[in-house]
Amino acid sequence: MATALDTAQRARSAALALQAAPTELKNRALRRIHDTIRANKAEILAANRADLEVEAGTLSASLYKRLDLAGPRDSKFEALLQGILDVVELEDPVGKVTLASQLDNGLDLLRVQCPVGVILIIFEARPEVVVQISSLVLKSGNAVVLKGGKEAAASNQALWASIQQALASLSRDGDDVDGNDGGDASGASASKAAIPPDAVQLVSSRDAVTDLLKLDGLIDLVIPRGSASLVKHVRETTRIPVLSHADGICSVYVDRDADARMAADVAVDSKTNYPAACNAAETLLVHADAAASHLPVVGGALLARGVQLRCDAAALAVLREAHPADAAAGRIVPATQADFDTEFLELVMAVAVVCDVDAAIAHINAHGSKHTDAIVTASEACAKRFMANVDAAAVYWNASTRFTDGFRYGFGAEVGVSTNKTHVRGPVGLEGLMIYRYRIYGNGHTVAPYNSGERTYHRAAIPLEQAQVRV
Amino acid sequence: MATALDTAQRARSAALALQAAPTELKNRALRRIHDTIRANKAEILAANRADLEVEAGTLSASLYKRLDLAGPRDSKFEALLQGILDVVELEDPVGKVTLASQLDNGLDLLRVQCPVGVILIIFEARPEVVVQISSLVLKSGNAVVLKGGKEAAASNQALWASIQQALASLSRDGDDVDGNDGGDASGASASKAAIPPDAVQLVSSRDAVTDLLKLDGLIDLVIPRGSASLVKHVRETTRIPVLSHADGICSVYVDRDADARMAADVAVDSKTNYPAACNAAETLLVHADAAASHLPVVGGALLARGVQLRCDAAALAVLREAHPADAAAGRIVPATQADFDTEFLELVMAVAVVCDVDAAIAHINAHGSKHTDAIVTASEACAKRFMANVDAAAVYWNASTRFTDGFRYGFGAEVGVSTNKTHVRGPVGLEGLMIYRYRIYGNGHTVAPYNSGERTYHRAAIPLEQAQVRV
């Protein structure tokens, strides 16, 4: 079995070889992966059934459902295949010029997007992550080391084997292909017109991950996707940059100037559309002036959907009076302080009355997890204030917190959701897998004459389209 | 003395208060800081002289020069003052819309720049960093905790005291100011129209830093500026994202199609313009076909500037024959393998002959520090190949490695140089202190009807200028 060091070094070599691969080659690889997985459908679903049989009874219903790769009438499997073709359609992010400026006559500065390098993905349950992430990683010119959970070991292995089979077959027909790519502007030599299979590696043991997390010289980015405890463990045990979110403690704030019906709709969707999601709301805040008028409506709508409300004293008084039957049935209860710092992930919501929008902002900045927070209000000034001062990846005005999602945002694909304060934040598409290089195009330019004052910089912006053709 | 936790918490509060401060308020604070430092010039330079006296004899000449805050005829002090006014002129990066898209009728997605939050800067020797960084941090709406070296303790303290004095005086005349800012679109209440002095804090003890580096929940980014050992120590002891470069092992590759004279100019400037800089070149690579023709010219130019050349076997043979007197004088010597992994920071250069541009790329990706590498060639295909495949923050064609600098790039100001693969790379201006939030503007939109298929997304790009007015 390969050591972690060997795995990472092969990934690094693959990343260096793949970083300048032509778009058409990468798309051809993705289509080949699609075709191979489709052709291997029977074996892949058999492997998945084997995983499901091993885990039957030990996993919760929702985890079991996530582990299932086929879905109703194979709809999940078909969606997985379509996902690969969707990535083919995405614009190639490599080589995109994002800044261009003339520094002096004949001396041009360009900022050009390039892959981050080697990405380590640690995930649980969902085996389709193998395919989704591999597609995004190849399209963006990166290499990836995948570590899945043991509950999906056979499924992950079967999907990965298909990817390897596809890349190997692409490599074998490389000679045909190279003839067509001979005029490629990157100057890639014909012998390299293949995707190194080491660009997608799969490891299965926990020890391998422990060792990989130490290789900060070889691995550029870690993305843990799974439970909060997985994410926290990874963050605490590596010096490699981690792209992640741990908790999702999202809030809905109902302002004095909110429409009560709209507030109820937004709160119900945010809480109940998919309570186990990280973008589900856990906390409801209501302006004191709207407590009597709005809280019974919003609370009533939540109670009608089976949500237990854990309330501060002010909210408790209003809701008990408005909904005595629910109170008697234990669906309206006093909140503990810890309830405002808890990601319930079920039909439970903490409720508090706040004196104004600034108090709502302060509450969220103290208790939230910097993921997604929404305000419901008709006041543009309050909405602007909320969106400018709540320190979260996503801040919404009159919309459900559930919109925080790469597909809903129209990013085409999602690597994960980040609550980081650097690199990328919120739903992360291909952009999170990119960094850039600065290029200078000179004519033998040296800094000495500029330092001495003999020459001075003559700066001017270069239109990006004009700069793009030079890359 | 404040604990690290107290310092960080006050910085966090200041950052939250400052994040939406109006541009004019921030610029007024910067001008007040400028005026106060000018007014306190005598005390500040007296403090600096005290530092210089303590350190006389113990510091190297170059460190001593860096510690001096006045410079020849107070030119360094004047440049420091001008630097603050330069930051006033920079565009405010907060609130800039960088992506805007309609998701459906009445449902808009905007990506809006915002400050990262709390920045910890650890620096050595140069006391002007206190002012440069504080200016950039305030302009970008962040808070900063500064930790300077003990060799500049009095200078740092004097500069920081002037900043505190300026912010306190601004806060006192806040009432006048608020009347004018009443119509501010951010909806900021009058009572908050001041810059919290806690936005700029100074700590002096090593223990304080050790404790601060543990506060990854409160501090968002660490920027160590100083020796490679300082940078490595910080990277190894914190989970907070670190923006930095450690080594600067930069290379100049002279291609077969290079003009020998141009190659000599670029190599000499890259190596000798300022050998102690991180963007100075340490390695010279020459195409085998150009070894006999170009290496004597390039090597001769370097030898003439007093550079010792540490050569692989092929380079040694050519150079010894071309420059026998230098060889006899010990200026042309065999290289050890370690020489190709060393940041000399003095007039020493490692020299190797490589078989082609791919070998040059492979050498640099194996031995370089991902900082800056240059190719000298007349071949556009080779230059493109080099710039697409060398994994460094900056890749130059026919230009000196010394151009890697925020001022030369025209960024107006520089936080530092980053060799990170995430967030920001290369010379870092205000952009490295920014992240973004996604905003959604809805009208009570929920995800449920989109999930059920009752509604579908109707996506369309929104022109950025049109979106900008909504923030």
Side-chain angles (χ1 to χ4, degrees):
Chain A
M1 214 173 78
T3 65
L5 182 63
D6 179 52
T7 299
Q9 281 173 334
R10 285 188 290 124
R12 162 73 46 202
S13 297
L16 290 171
L18 185 55
Q19 63 178 327
T23 306
E24 183 39 40
L25 174 64
K26 295 187 285 188
N27 285 342
R28 198 181 309 130
L30 292 174
R31 283 190 293 262
R32 189 68 60 94
I33 290 170
H34 168 274
D35 297 347
T36 310
I37 290 177
R38 182 178 285 291
N40 295 343
K41 178 176 173 178
E43 294 105 287
I44 293 167
L45 290 185
N48 185 239
R49 278 192 301 275
D51 281 334
L52 287 167
E53 274 158 32
V54 170
E55 299 296 331
T58 71
L59 290 179
S60 68
S62 74
L63 270 181
Y64 191 85
K65 194 174 154 194
R66 282 200 251 166
L67 182 52
D68 174 27
L69 201 51
R73 275 159 295 150
D74 292 354
S75 57
K76 271 180 82 180
F77 195 83
E78 290 301 317
L80 174 152
L81 287 169
Q82 183 55 44
I84 305 172
L85 300 179
D86 290 347
V87 173
V88 171
E89 295 306 314
L90 292 178
E91 190 188 358
D92 190 339
V94 179
K96 186 177 175 188
V97 177
T98 58
L99 183 150
S101 145
Q102 177 188 285
L103 302 183
D104 194 4
N105 289 332
L107 187 68
D108 292 343
L109 173 69
L110 271 64
R111 189 174 66 191
V112 183
Q113 278 197 160
C114 64
V116 162
V118 178
I119 322 281
L120 171 62
I121 313 267
I122 304 166
F123 60 104
E124 293 171 335
R126 303 178 183 277
E128 65 266 35
V129 168
V130 170
V131 178
Q132 285 170 351
I133 293 286
S134 298
S135 304
L136 290 168
V137 158
L138 291 180
K139 181 73 181 228
S140 58
N142 289 282
V144 67
V145 179
L146 298 152
K147 161 67 174 71
K150 68 170 169 34
E151 68 287 348
S155 314
N156 293 338
Q157 179 69 33
L159 289 168
W160 175 76
S162 287
I163 294 171
Q164 292 294 306
Q165 183 188 338
L167 295 180
S169 83
L170 192 74
S171 173
R172 278 194 303 276
D173 61 20
D175 291 337
D176 293 350
V177 162
D178 297 339
N180 301 329
D181 281 346
D184 171 53
S186 75
S189 67
S191 64
K192 298 201 173 161
I195 304 289
D198 280 345
V200 181
Q201 294 182 70
L202 179 70
V203 299
S204 54
S205 85
R206 198 176 268 260
D207 289 351
V209 170
T210 305
D211 292 343
L212 286 166
L213 288 173
K214 290 175 188 153
L215 300 175
D216 49 311
L218 291 168
I219 297 172
D220 298 300
L221 184 64
V222 184
I223 308 180
R225 292 175 38 141
S227 66
S229 66
L230 168 73
V231 171
K232 280 173 186 159
H233 172 74
V234 169
R235 283 188 191 166
E236 280 165 16
T237 52
T238 189
R239 284 171 211 147
I240 305 169
V242 179
L243 191 160
S244 66
H245 67 273
D247 296 326
I249 302 179
C250 305
S251 297
V252 174
Y253 165 60
V254 179
D255 191 45
R256 183 175 54 185
D257 294 321
D259 176 87
R261 197 63 255 158
M262 182 191 289
D265 288 347
V266 168
V268 165
D269 193 75
S270 298
K271 178 71 245 180
T272 71
N273 181 260
Y274 184 15
C278 62
N279 56 14
E282 310 296 351
T283 302
L284 176 71
L285 302 173
V286 180
H287 192 296
D289 294 354
S293 53
H294 291 49
L295 190 47
V297 180
V298 178
L302 289 162
L303 290 163
R305 303 294 285 261
V307 180
Q308 184 194 57
L309 302 177
R310 301 192 183 171
C311 306
D312 75 351
L316 196 65
V318 170
L319 284 169
R320 275 184 172 161
E321 195 182 318
H323 302 286
D326 290 293
R331 288 190 290 268
I332 302 171
V333 299
T336 65
Q337 194 49 52
D339 285 328
F340 293 98
D341 299 301
T342 300
E343 186 181 23
F344 299 111
L345 296 174
E346 54 179 330
L347 292 177
V348 175
M349 199 166 198
V351 186
V353 172
V354 292
C355 62
D356 61 9
V357 66
D358 285 339
I361 293 166
H363 179 103
I364 291 169
N365 285 340
H367 299 280
S369 63
K370 300 182 169 52
H371 190 296
T372 304
D373 300 288
I375 181 173
V376 183
T377 184
S379 158
E380 184 178 11
C382 276
K384 278 190 173 177
R385 189 164 181 81
F386 183 88
M387 292 192 285
N389 288 283
V390 166
D391 180 20
V395 284
Y396 297 162
W397 180 15
N398 294 342
S400 167
T401 59
R402 289 276 296 138
F403 279 105
T404 304
D405 177 277
F407 293 93
R408 289 178 192 135
Y409 274 24
F411 290 175
E414 185 179 284
V415 174
V417 174
S418 163
T419 52
N420 289 12
K421 297 290 287 285
T422 52
H423 193 47
V424 282
R425 206 178 188 197
V428 178
L430 280 180
E431 203 170 61
L433 304 178
M434 308 309 293
I435 186 73
Y436 49 75
R437 285 178 200 142
Y438 286 104
R439 296 187 180 191
I440 283 180
Y441 296 74
N443 188 26
H445 287 73
T446 56
V447 302
Y450 296 97
N451 288 0
S452 68
E454 187 188 325
R455 290 175 82 148
T456 52
Y457 293 100
H458 291 88
R459 295 198 175 87
I462 301 173
L464 293 185
E465 320 79 67
Q466 192 179 314
Q468 187 67 59
V469 300
R470 302 185 64 180
V471 174
Chain B
M1 214 172 77
T3 64
L5 182 63
D6 179 53
T7 299
Q9 281 173 335
R10 284 187 291 124
R12 164 73 43 200
S13 297
L16 290 171
L18 185 54
Q19 63 178 326
T23 306
E24 182 40 40
L25 175 65
K26 294 187 285 189
N27 284 342
R28 196 181 309 129
L30 291 174
R31 284 190 292 263
R32 188 69 60 91
I33 289 170
H34 169 275
D35 297 347
T36 309
I37 290 176
R38 183 177 285 292
N40 295 345
K41 178 177 176 180
E43 295 105 286
I44 293 167
L45 290 184
N48 185 240
R49 280 192 299 275
D51 282 333
L52 288 166
E53 275 159 31
V54 170
E55 299 296 330
T58 71
L59 292 180
S60 69
S62 73
L63 270 182
Y64 191 85
K65 195 174 154 194
R66 282 201 252 166
L67 182 53
D68 174 26
L69 201 50
R73 275 160 297 147
D74 293 355
S75 57
K76 271 180 80 180
F77 195 84
E78 290 301 318
L80 173 152
L81 287 169
Q82 183 56 44
I84 306 171
L85 300 180
D86 290 346
V87 174
V88 171
E89 296 305 315
L90 293 179
E91 189 188 359
D92 190 339
V94 179
K96 187 177 174 187
V97 177
T98 58
L99 183 150
S101 144
Q102 178 188 285
L103 302 183
D104 193 6
N105 288 333
L107 185 69
D108 293 342
L109 173 70
L110 272 64
R111 189 174 66 191
V112 184
Q113 278 198 158
C114 65
V116 162
V118 177
I119 322 280
L120 171 62
I121 313 266
I122 305 167
F123 60 104
E124 294 172 334
R126 302 179 184 275
E128 65 267 34
V129 168
V130 171
V131 178
Q132 286 169 352
I133 294 285
S134 299
S135 305
L136 289 168
V137 158
L138 291 180
K139 182 71 182 231
S140 57
N142 289 283
V144 67
V145 179
L146 299 152
K147 162 67 173 70
K150 68 171 171 32
E151 68 287 347
S155 313
N156 293 339
Q157 179 68 32
L159 288 168
W160 174 76
S162 287
I163 293 171
Q164 292 294 306
Q165 183 189 337
L167 295 179
S169 84
L170 192 75
S171 171
R172 279 194 303 275
D173 60 22
D175 291 337
D176 292 352
V177 161
D178 299 336
N180 300 329
D181 281 348
D184 172 55
S186 74
S189 68
S191 63
K192 298 203 173 158
I195 305 288
D198 281 343
V200 181
Q201 295 182 68
L202 180 70
V203 300
S204 54
S205 83
R206 198 176 267 259
D207 289 350
V209 170
T210 304
D211 292 342
L212 287 167
L213 288 174
K214 291 175 188 154
L215 300 175
D216 49 311
L218 291 168
I219 297 172
D220 298 299
L221 184 64
V222 184
I223 307 180
R225 292 176 36 142
S227 65
S229 65
L230 168 72
V231 171
K232 281 172 187 160
H233 173 74
V234 169
R235 283 188 189 165
E236 281 165 14
T237 52
T238 190
R239 284 172 212 145
I240 305 169
V242 179
L243 191 161
S244 66
H245 65 275
D247 295 327
I249 302 179
C250 305
S251 296
V252 174
Y253 165 60
V254 179
D255 190 47
R256 183 175 53 184
D257 295 320
D259 176 88
R261 197 63 255 157
M262 184 191 288
D265 288 347
V266 168
V268 165
D269 193 76
S270 297
K271 177 71 245 180
T272 71
N273 180 261
Y274 184 15
C278 60
N279 56 13
E282 310 295 351
T283 302
L284 177 70
L285 302 173
V286 180
H287 192 295
D289 295 353
S293 54
H294 291 51
L295 190 47
V297 181
V298 179
L302 288 162
L303 291 163
R305 302 295 286 262
V307 179
Q308 184 194 57
L309 303 177
R310 301 192 183 172
C311 306
D312 74 352
L316 196 66
V318 171
L319 285 168
R320 274 184 173 160
E321 194 183 319
H323 301 287
D326 289 295
R331 287 191 288 269
I332 301 171
V333 299
T336 64
Q337 195 47 53
D339 284 328
F340 293 98
D341 299 300
T342 301
E343 186 180 24
F344 299 110
L345 296 174
E346 54 179 330
L347 292 177
V348 175
M349 200 165 198
V351 186
V353 172
V354 293
C355 62
D356 62 7
V357 65
D358 284 338
I361 292 166
H363 178 103
I364 291 168
N365 285 341
H367 299 280
S369 63
K370 301 181 167 52
H371 191 295
T372 303
D373 300 288
I375 181 173
V376 184
T377 185
S379 158
E380 185 178 10
C382 276
K384 278 190 174 179
R385 190 165 180 80
F386 183 89
M387 292 192 286
N389 288 283
V390 166
D391 181 21
V395 284
Y396 298 162
W397 180 15
N398 294 341
S400 166
T401 59
R402 288 275 295 136
F403 279 105
T404 303
D405 176 276
F407 293 95
R408 291 179 191 133
Y409 274 24
F411 291 174
E414 185 180 281
V415 175
V417 174
S418 163
T419 53
N420 291 13
K421 296 289 285 290
T422 52
H423 193 49
V424 282
R425 208 176 185 197
V428 179
L430 279 181
E431 204 170 58
L433 304 178
M434 307 309 293
I435 185 73
Y436 49 76
R437 283 176 202 146
Y438 287 104
R439 295 187 182 192
I440 283 182
Y441 296 73
N443 189 25
H445 287 74
T446 56
V447 301
Y450 296 96
N451 288 0
S452 67
E454 187 188 328
R455 291 176 81 147
T456 52
Y457 293 101
H458 291 88
R459 297 198 174 88
I462 301 173
L464 292 184
E465 321 78 66
Q466 191 179 315
Q468 187 67 60
V469 299
R470 302 185 65 179
V471 174

